[in-house]
Amino acid sequence: MPLKADLDAIDWKILRELQGDGRMTNVELSSRVGISAPPCLRRVRRLEEAGIIRGYRALLNAPALGMDVVAFCLIGLHHQADAELKTFAERTRGWPIVRDAWMVSGESDFLLHCVASDLGTFQTFVIEQLASAPNVDTVRTALTIRRVKDEGLVAFPT
């Protein structure tokens, strides 16, 4: 698959470093990628303006904040017309327990990543909000046991 952006080796190094630690200073970043600070900052700004770097955020420790239940829900809809898919996608934005949502192909229509304080809260969400939502046909849930890998979203060429 061809790249959708014109990136050189330095750009890839910048992306790899920032994905690992988005809080480092530009001086530290420039040192790690082997260029001086001013061109490094210009490159980062260009990557931001191009939408390659979408933003920066803190990665929170959910269990330390009392959010002990992580689950995935596979949702099947009765009807998959474009308007129905958009309506369900919009509905997910109003559910705080849903942290990430994807429209998927195959037997299900959506995959939801949910985080809750406890099993009861998750069950209440599934029964009272998710399964009873308009056009929802099937809900299959999978409770996680433990996270075994936690990498950035993009794997880099070697």
Side-chain angles (χ1 to χ4, degrees), residues 5-6 15 22 30 34 40 46 48 69 82 111 121 124 126 140 143:
D6 185 24
L15 294 172
S30 66
C40 184
R46 180 177 52 83
E48 291 169 344
V69 174
D82 189 51
L111 173 66
T121 300
T124 299
V126 170
R140 292 186 305 149
L143 294 172

Side-chain angles (χ1 to χ4, degrees), residues 63-78:
L65 296 169
M67 305 304 272
D68 293 321
V69 174
V70 177
F72 291 89
C73 300
L74 286 163
I75 310 304
L77 301 180
H78 287 289

Side-chain angles (χ1 to χ4, degrees), residues 3 16 21 28 31 35 39 46 72-74 77 80 93 109-110 117 121 127 135 141 145:
L3 286 175
R16 182 180 296 113
D21 178 5
E28 175 66 21
S31 172
I35 61 175
R46 180 177 52 83
F72 291 89
C73 300
L74 286 163
L77 301 180
Q80 292 81 23
R93 292 180 181 90
D109 299 303
F110 288 87
S117 58
T121 300
I127 294 165
N135 196 32
T141 62
I145 296 169

